[in-house]
Amino acid sequence: MKASDLFVKALEAEGVEYIFGIPGEENLDLLESLRTSSIKLVLTRHEQGAGFMAATYGRLTGKVGVCLSTLGPGATNLVTPAAYAQLGAMPMLMITGQKPIKTSKQGRFQVIDIVDMMRPITKYTTQIVSGERIPSVVREAFRVAHEERPGAAHIELPEDIAAENTTMPLIKPTLSRRPIAEYKAINRAVEMIEQSTSPLLLIGAGANRKLTAKMLRQFVDKTGIPFVTTQLGKGVLNESDPLFAGNTALSDGDFVHRAIDRADLIINVGHDVVEKPPFFMHADEDQKVIHVNFDSAAVDPVYFPQLEVVGDIANSIWQIKEDLIPQDTWKLDFYKDVHDAYVKHRKVAEDDNRFPVLPERFVRDVRKVMPENGIVTLDNGIYKIWFARNYPAYAPNTLLLDNALASMGAGLPSAIGAKLVHPDVPVVSVCGDGGFMMNSQELETAVRLNLDLVVIVLRDDAYGMIKWKQSHMEFGNFGLDYGNPDLVEYAKSYGAQGWRIEQTSEVATTLQHCLDTPGVHLIDCPVDYSLNDETLNHTIKELSAKL
């Protein structure tokens, strides 16, 4: 059969449902093969949006998300999504076209070395040089992208290879199981937890990638040990739980850091160095750390765990939980004090009616409206800190934020990917005006796909996160303000519905109306970040220091 047909059949054998992207001249054989396949092509308005959608598909399903571009400028537009998936541990495959490699018909026109370009930001990258290589290359790309730690893979399919004939059979996916931790490490972990005075569970990114929530829930229910999360660990356990002591959204000085400081033993589950360290270890302190993860710890001057439990996380937690006996000598009351102080402070700004809306109040209203299984996807800006800190996530992967590459422009494409994965679940994308405008053209994609989707643009007419940092460093306000189009009319021009918030009390009611009304909706919501520096850098730290 034609090599492009074999390539598509290999993708079908891997269970591919969608390919996100923009085909070019060099992809036309592949496009024709896709036309009669079971795979749905989601045509996007920019390759970057396609990559973000594919990565989000991988994040939510655990399967490899697939995106497509042509050669040259189309492929270079996938660099940011590649880094996004690689750092964020999202399984993704990029397929790019290329000019013929056996004969040249256009010299070096649009030709750059895409394989070499992708090498530093992928787990696997290769050019297919023969149709006979398609089955093994596709199988290897999916295997590598999917296995722990997941990430990005890349295949370049030149147009002359896609057009040739081949008789090679497919290589079907095979069963692969992750190794489990060695029993001596499990036994030592049990001993260290039982002998500790104030143990604390810290849930990181790795615990949010596989189905570890059930085992961690059983662990907490049996032991009563409180838990905190990193930004990428949000939602693994229900954060409305009174045992939840906070999220490490700020680098230091928050209420949650008082809990971490008090712990004499941290059970660090799923730690990933792509996130800012949730705590610093010091060689002269008595605090101990147990590293529970799929792979061993990357030791550095501030992270050198005394015990590593390496293997499938869910199985490790289950083994520890089965043998662990809760101790009467544990002192855990302080963690409740942290939880209560955190909630008390949160409510002050959450009830503030000033307009433009404060981010704390906005986060509260979104949480009030969204159902427990509703998905919020965030772009990147100062509001991400407020969502990480103040938005209780009730289930895994219901608050999708990026605390790895932290790229602007991902919020709307991620919401489209999430909605395709979960068509019956309410999905809301929250973007700053800066990040939204980087990929706002994907509104047309959402409209064309007939999605029910809500996009909220927090408008401050500036790059607010950097202005906050600028203010904290006592620099003058310079170089970060811009203008915006009329966002309501902009949404309407794409066939979406547009709404504008004119008083704070309208946030919840407008969002509820949009969720109840079919179609794509954009809500223009002015936001007031003027208190960020005082609140985040002074008030919170002063209050938490009193605990």
Side-chain angles (χ1 to χ4, degrees):
M1 68 177 67
K2 192 165 72 169
S4 61
D5 290 339
L6 180 62
F7 193 99
V8 170
K9 288 187 180 298
L11 297 179
E12 289 176 329
E14 297 289 346
V16 175
E17 296 178 279
Y18 298 100
I19 292 181
F20 306 90
I22 303 176
E25 176 187 345
E26 292 70 28
N27 308 117
L28 287 177
D29 281 291
L30 184 63
L31 190 65
E32 174 61 16
S33 298
L34 280 172
R35 184 177 63 84
T36 56
S37 79
S38 62
I39 300 171
K40 301 180 184 68
L41 175 67
V42 177
L43 185 68
T44 63
R45 304 309 301 267
H46 195 285
E47 292 87 356
Q48 190 179 97
F52 288 142
M53 293 175 202
T56 300
Y57 177 94
R59 178 178 185 173
L60 290 174
T61 65
K63 300 190 295 183
V64 178
V66 182
C67 56
L68 170 71
S69 82
T70 187
L71 80 173
T76 58
N77 281 341
L78 289 177
V79 167
T80 299
Y84 176 81
Q86 183 75 349
L87 278 186
M90 307 174 200
M92 181 180 78
L93 170 64
M94 297 167 287
I95 304 165
T96 63
Q98 188 53 276
K99 295 294 183 187
I101 57 174
K102 295 181 179 179
T103 59
S104 173
K105 66 177 183 180
Q106 291 179 314
R108 298 288 296 177
F109 175 65
Q110 289 192 310
V111 175
I112 61 173
D113 190 339
I114 298 299
V115 172
D116 220 29
M117 180 186 76
M118 289 291 186
R119 202 174 307 281
I121 50 174
T122 59
K123 296 179 70 180
Y124 176 85
T125 178
T126 193
Q127 179 189 75
I128 296 181
V129 297
S130 166
E132 309 292 293
R133 294 272 293 137
I134 286 173
S136 59
V137 166
V138 172
R139 178 81 281 272
E140 180 68 357
F142 274 82
R143 183 190 69 80
V144 172
H146 181 264
E147 70 181 5
E148 282 293 336
R149 183 180 181 268
H154 166 247
I155 297 174
E156 181 176 83
L157 180 62
E159 63 174 311
D160 56 342
I161 304 300
E164 70 182 24
N165 289 320
T166 177
T167 58
M168 286 296 288
L170 291 175
I171 298 175
K172 295 182 179 180
T174 54
L175 178 66
S176 177
R177 299 291 297 171
R178 292 179 295 278
I180 61 175
E182 201 262 350
Y183 76 94
K184 290 182 180 179
I186 297 293
N187 292 344
R188 180 59 184 145
V190 171
E191 291 175 2
M192 289 178 67
I193 298 170
E194 289 181 348
Q195 292 170 6
S196 67
T197 301
S198 299
L200 181 67
L201 177 66
L202 197 156
I203 301 173
N208 218 353
R209 291 202 294 270
K210 300 293 187 290
L211 298 177
T212 60
K214 179 179 179 181
M215 288 301 106
L216 283 167
R217 182 73 263 169
Q218 292 179 9
F219 177 89
V220 170
D221 288 344
K222 178 178 179 178
T223 64
I225 294 175
F227 64 96
V228 299
T229 67
T230 67
Q231 291 187 39
L232 289 173
K234 283 188 69 67
V236 175
L237 294 181
N238 188 326
E239 293 172 3
S240 66
D241 192 316
L243 292 175
F244 175 58
N247 177 271
T248 57
L250 296 180
S251 298
D252 59 18
D254 204 345
F255 297 101
V256 65
H257 297 109
R258 301 291 73 78
I260 291 172
D261 292 344
R262 179 65 64 93
D264 69 325
L265 175 69
I266 297 174
I267 308 160
N268 196 11
V269 181
H271 175 70
D272 196 321
V273 294
V274 301
E275 295 200 81
K276 294 178 181 178
F279 60 89
F280 292 146
M281 296 183 68
H282 301 280
D284 58 351
E285 290 184 356
D286 293 331
Q287 188 180 69
K288 301 288 193 298
V289 175
I290 300 175
H291 175 92
V292 183
N293 214 331
F294 296 106
D295 48 20
S296 57
V299 174
D300 59 32
V302 296
Y303 191 67
F304 40 89
Q306 285 79 8
L307 176 66
E308 299 183 41
V309 181
V310 179
D312 181 78
I313 291 177
N315 183 272
S316 296
I317 294 298
W318 174 76
Q319 288 192 72
I320 294 170
K321 181 263 299 182
E322 288 295 290
D323 292 344
L324 185 62
I325 299 174
Q327 302 294 301
D328 293 336
T329 53
W330 286 343
K331 297 178 181 178
L332 307 176
D333 290 345
F334 179 74
Y335 299 133
K336 184 179 185 303
D337 295 340
V338 170
H339 170 86
D340 293 346
Y342 151 70
V343 172
K344 180 181 178 181
H345 172 259
R346 215 177 67 191
K347 287 184 175 179
V348 175
E350 287 179 342
D351 293 332
D352 195 310
N353 289 316
R354 79 183 67 188
F355 185 80
V357 63
L358 291 180
E360 301 99 308
R361 170 62 185 267
F362 174 79
V363 171
R364 186 204 73 171
D365 284 357
V366 173
R367 177 68 281 178
K368 185 168 64 175
V369 172
M370 290 296 286
E372 289 195 6
N373 67 336
I375 296 173
V376 175
T377 72
L378 301 182
D379 206 278
N380 270 279
I382 188 65
Y383 50 88
K384 187 178 77 170
I385 290 178
W386 288 113
F387 267 92
R389 189 181 182 277
N390 289 23
Y391 186 91
Y394 300 144
N397 287 317
T398 53
L399 180 64
L400 300 186
L401 56 80
D402 168 23
N403 195 36
L405 184 66
S407 170
M408 297 173 72
L412 173 55
S414 292
I416 293 173
K419 193 63 181 180
L420 290 171
V421 172
H422 297 296
D424 298 325
V425 172
V427 176
V428 172
S429 176
V430 177
C431 308
D433 43 9
F436 170 71
M437 290 304 295
M438 290 187 179
N439 274 309
S440 62
Q441 70 280 351
E442 300 304 342
L443 277 176
E444 190 278 329
T445 305
V447 170
R448 176 166 27 92
L449 294 173
N450 295 315
L451 300 182
D452 297 330
L453 190 67
V454 182
V455 182
I456 307 176
V457 180
L458 295 176
R459 179 170 53 81
D460 68 330
D461 302 308
Y463 291 112
M465 169 73 87
I466 313 306
K467 287 192 76 170
W468 167 53
K469 298 286 187 180
Q470 190 179 57
S471 172
H472 181 58
M473 296 174 70
E474 298 183 353
F475 293 145
N477 179 18
F478 174 74
L480 297 170
D481 297 299
Y482 48 69
N484 276 305
D486 184 322
L487 293 172
V488 171
E489 295 303 316
Y490 184 71
K492 291 179 179 178
S493 72
Y494 284 113
Q497 299 178 60
W499 311 87
R500 181 171 289 110
I501 301 299
E502 296 181 337
Q503 54 185 5
T504 295
S505 60
E506 295 175 351
V507 171
T509 54
T510 304
L511 176 56
Q512 187 65 64
H513 172 77
C514 292
L515 290 173
D516 293 340
T517 307
V520 178
H521 299 262
L522 182 145
I523 302 173
D524 173 4
C525 182
V527 64
D528 180 4
Y529 290 137
S530 63
L531 299 181
N532 277 349
D533 185 53
E534 179 64 29
T535 303
L536 296 175
N537 291 324
H538 301 284
T539 304
I540 289 175
K541 293 181 179 181
E542 291 167 5
L543 290 173
S544 69
K546 296 177 181 179
L547 284 173

